Structures are given as structure tokens and as C-alpha cells.
Amino acid sequence: EKACDMLEAILQQQKPNLSAADFSIFKGQILLRRGNSLRFRNCYQQASENVYQGFELIAGNVQDDPEVLALAYKYRLGLNESLENYELAIADNRKINEYYKALGDRFSEIDSLGDLGLIYWRTGQYAKAEQTLQESIQMAEESKAQWWLARQLGNQGLVQFTRGNLAKAAELIEQQRKIGQLTGNLSEEKRAISNGAFVKIFLGQKQAARDDLEANLAHIRKHNYHLAEGIVSANLAWAVDDRNQGREYAQSALKIAEQTNSTRLEIIALRALSELQDDAEKKQKLAQEALFIAEKRGRHLNQAGALFTLSTCLDGDEGVEARKKAESILQFLGAENWLYTEDVFDTKRLPLLL
């Protein structure tokens, strides 16, 4: 934000030398950058005010510069995703793709198409996500865009993981890791290590998963990636053999969720913690809390995961009904393969993903 303050001061000094339209465009760009910074700090009200005002200034004064317009839409898309306004985010994404096509920017088009796939994934539209990401992968391969290919392979790996296709997920994520390593793309390599570890947990390779996640946790903490720390901590809760240690990791994830005001992280932290309770009443209470938030926020896979936990806590018909509801959700999502995967825990569990 200090950089935005400096840019604002320079803009005011240059105002007499600028046309009204140019001044509005520069002002809009500063507001978009400020709003994006506020978004990353979870200051959503202020972020919204800045982003929407900045977008209107640019959209109202730029007619034929697709690069400037694409960037403005991209800032608004990021905000809409954070606010979970997914229909608006999809509309913004499609507009961005139009501008990239007009610019002939193939690499940005690949990236944008991958982002669209992730939006479909986050909203539980797994078949659409898989199809969209496959298009993005094909474009990256045709363009020999290795940097972008690594990212889209990893995204497709996550989709396959959530659909219960564990072997395919592991294969795609390993491809992501290798390409990231070969191209010097450290962020994708690290991301692949974490996501690969999440899959390893459900393949029963807990020691390997634990080693990878603990190594990555040190890297994440060094760079203050708080949300990523919470996700890794929640998964470590199920990767360790010591239940007390597992509860500590889950509690750490829950604390980060509170600090970052992330309801999505809160859901998986509660789910992780619920499965590690020795007291049946505590287990049920935590699972019910996770289920309530997941239903409210439309997090279908986490909803099913919480229901599977509850099915082990509730007696008789209530327990059976909870399991049937979880199975029905998986079938609705196109993730019914989870019903046939080998259980590596003493209960049916589903991935701890946002």
C-alpha cells in the first residue's frame, strides 16, 4: 500500500499535464492495485470499494486497449473469487480470454483457461473442471509452454484427487513436479510436493507424506504463507501416527483459520480435528460444526466428509442416513470413486482441501 501511496502522490503532481481520461485511467490502476493488496490482507470491504471504483474508472475511459482492460478484469476476477461470487468470476474470466485472444497472447490464454477450470473445481463442477483443464493442458503442450504446463497438470491432478482417482492424480502431480524442477519453477515444484503428499496420505504412504509436508511447512512458514500453512497443518494431522501430535496440527490449522478469517480453512481444520477425538461427543460436535459451515458455504466435498464422520457417531438409522447422504453427494459431484477406494484409515475419510 505504501507503493500505491507513492504512485498516488506522483499522479497528483502530474495531474495538470494529463487529460481527464488519462488521469482517470492511472487513478483506476492505482485503486485496483490497492484493492488487490487489501484483498490479500482479507480486508474485503475496503478491497471491494477500491477494486470496483478502479474498474469503473478504467472501463469508462479505455475503449481499445485489450491489455489494460484484461488486467482490470483480472483484478476484479480475483476479488470475486475471494468473495465467492463465482458466477461473476466466470463472466470476468471469459471476458479476459476474449482480450487475450485479441492480443494473440497464447500463454496468458492458457493460464486464464486453467483459472476457469479451478473455479469450476471450487464450485464442485468436477466434470467441467476436468474438461476445461484438459483443454488448457493441450494448449500448453501445443505451444511448448512448459512453465504453464506444469501448473495445469497440477490443477488437473487436484481435480482427479477430489474425484477419487488417486493413481491418476499422483501421476499428474509427479509430472508437475518434474517439469517444475526442470524449468526452475520453484513455486510449482513446491506446490506439487504438497499436493502429492496429500494424495500419498490416502494411498497409505503416510511416512513419505509426512516427510514432504514437514519439509514444505518450514518453507511456507519462512515466507508467511498463512493459508497454505493451515492447509498443510490440517493434512499433517492425518499423516502423523501420534494422535496427540495430530490434534496439535489440527488445532494449529484452526487457529490460523481464525486469524485469517478463512471459513474454508475452518471447515477442514474442524474435520481433521473431529476424526482425532477419543471422546465420541466431541467428535460429533466438531463434525457437526464442520457440516454446518460446509453446507452454508456450498463446500460439497467437505460436506460429504463431515457426514461420513458423523455416520460413525450417530446411532441406528441416523448414522445410516448420514452415510447415504454423503454417498449421494459424491455421486452428484462425480466423485463416486471414493466409495470404492481402499480405506487407509479406520473410518471413511475424504481429502482436506479448500
Side-chain angles (χ1 to χ4, degrees):
E1 282 191 70
K2 288 181 180 178
C4 291
D5 290 339
M6 291 174 62
L7 289 171
E8 181 72 40
I10 294 169
L11 180 62
Q12 292 301 328
Q13 289 174 1
Q14 294 298 318
K15 186 175 182 179
N17 305 320
L18 297 170
S19 67
D22 284 343
F23 178 82
S24 294
I25 292 167
F26 289 131
K27 175 73 173 178
Q29 290 173 329
I30 293 169
L31 287 168
L32 288 171
R33 289 182 63 177
R34 190 187 297 278
N36 204 47
S37 175
L38 289 162
R39 176 172 72 91
F40 282 116
R41 289 168 47 203
N42 301 321
C43 302
Y44 295 125
Q45 181 60 42
Q46 291 172 284
S48 298
E49 292 169 2
N50 280 269
V51 169
Y52 290 137
Q53 185 183 349
F55 181 86
E56 290 302 322
L57 284 172
I58 290 174
N61 289 279
V62 176
Q63 304 301 324
D64 56 357
D65 191 334
E67 189 170 0
V68 170
L69 288 167
L71 185 59
Y73 272 99
K74 195 163 186 176
Y75 278 122
R76 194 172 74 170
L77 182 151
L79 177 65
N80 280 326
E81 278 196 273
S82 293
L83 297 175
E84 299 183 17
N85 296 328
Y86 290 117
E87 289 302 318
L88 295 177
I90 289 169
D92 284 343
N93 181 282
R94 287 176 176 156
K95 198 70 179 175
I96 291 166
N97 257 331
E98 288 178 20
Y99 291 129
Y100 287 149
K101 284 177 181 177
L103 288 164
D105 187 344
R106 188 76 165 171
F107 294 157
S108 293
E109 194 179 344
I110 293 166
D111 201 39
S112 182
L113 194 59
D115 288 343
L116 179 60
L118 284 181
I119 295 172
Y120 286 139
W121 173 66
R122 292 190 185 103
T123 54
Q125 301 177 71
Y126 294 160
K128 271 190 177 181
E130 182 175 333
Q131 180 183 351
T132 304
L133 287 167
Q134 196 55 45
E135 290 175 23
S136 182
I137 288 168
Q138 186 176 342
M139 287 174 63
E141 288 174 338
E142 290 171 355
S143 304
K144 302 189 186 307
Q146 294 295 296
W147 190 278
W148 287 266
L149 178 60
R151 179 170 177 77
Q152 304 317 326
L153 286 168
N155 291 340
Q156 186 71 287
L158 281 177
V159 172
Q160 296 305 318
F161 179 36
T162 49
R163 300 194 79 176
N165 301 324
L166 302 185
K168 184 63 175 176
E171 178 188 339
L172 287 163
I173 292 169
E174 178 59 14
Q175 289 178 45
Q176 173 195 19
R177 187 195 67 77
K178 286 180 177 177
I179 294 172
Q181 187 179 54
L182 287 169
T183 58
N185 191 341
L186 182 62
S187 63
E188 286 306 314
E189 184 183 356
K190 291 289 185 183
R191 183 167 165 259
I193 290 170
S194 277
N195 290 342
F198 301 158
V199 178
K200 286 175 184 177
I201 292 171
F202 286 86
L203 287 171
Q205 302 167 15
K206 290 187 182 180
Q207 181 62 58
R210 185 159 63 246
D211 291 345
D212 287 343
L213 290 175
E214 286 176 346
N216 226 13
L217 191 60
H219 170 78
I220 288 166
R221 285 172 172 165
K222 182 180 177 181
H223 292 87
N224 295 316
Y225 299 149
H226 300 301
L227 197 59
E229 181 183 350
I231 299 166
V232 169
S233 296
N235 278 272
L236 268 168
W238 286 1
V240 296
D241 293 323
D242 187 296
R243 289 173 72 86
N244 289 327
Q245 188 182 11
R247 283 191 287 266
E248 287 176 9
Y249 276 125
Q251 288 284 6
S252 175
L254 192 57
K255 185 177 180 181
I256 293 168
E258 292 168 358
Q259 291 170 343
T260 58
N261 195 30
S262 172
T263 54
R264 291 181 297 166
L265 178 56
E266 183 182 6
I267 294 167
I268 66 170
L270 288 167
R271 284 187 52 220
L273 192 57
S274 67
E275 283 287 357
L276 298 172
Q277 298 303 309
D278 297 320
D279 183 275
E281 287 186 10
K282 286 183 180 178
K283 181 178 182 178
Q284 181 176 335
K285 181 176 181 294
L286 290 165
Q288 284 174 329
E289 286 181 37
L291 177 62
F292 176 77
I293 303 169
E295 287 178 337
K296 186 177 179 181
R297 307 298 292 191
R299 318 311 293 184
H300 302 299
L301 191 72
N302 279 303
Q303 186 181 344
L307 282 165
F308 275 126
T309 303
L310 277 174
S311 71
T312 66
C313 305
L314 301 171
D315 295 327
D317 291 343
E318 283 188 303
V320 172
E321 188 59 32
R323 187 177 180 90
K324 283 183 178 179
K325 191 172 180 181
E327 292 173 352
S328 178
I329 291 171
L330 290 180
Q331 288 166 349
F332 168 76
L333 291 172
E336 62 273 10
N337 278 348
W338 281 110
L339 301 176
Y340 313 111
T341 56
E342 183 180 352
D343 292 329
V344 297
F345 302 101
D346 55 359
T347 55
K348 171 63 72 177
R349 301 187 194 180
L350 297 176
L352 295 169
L353 295 171
L354 301 186

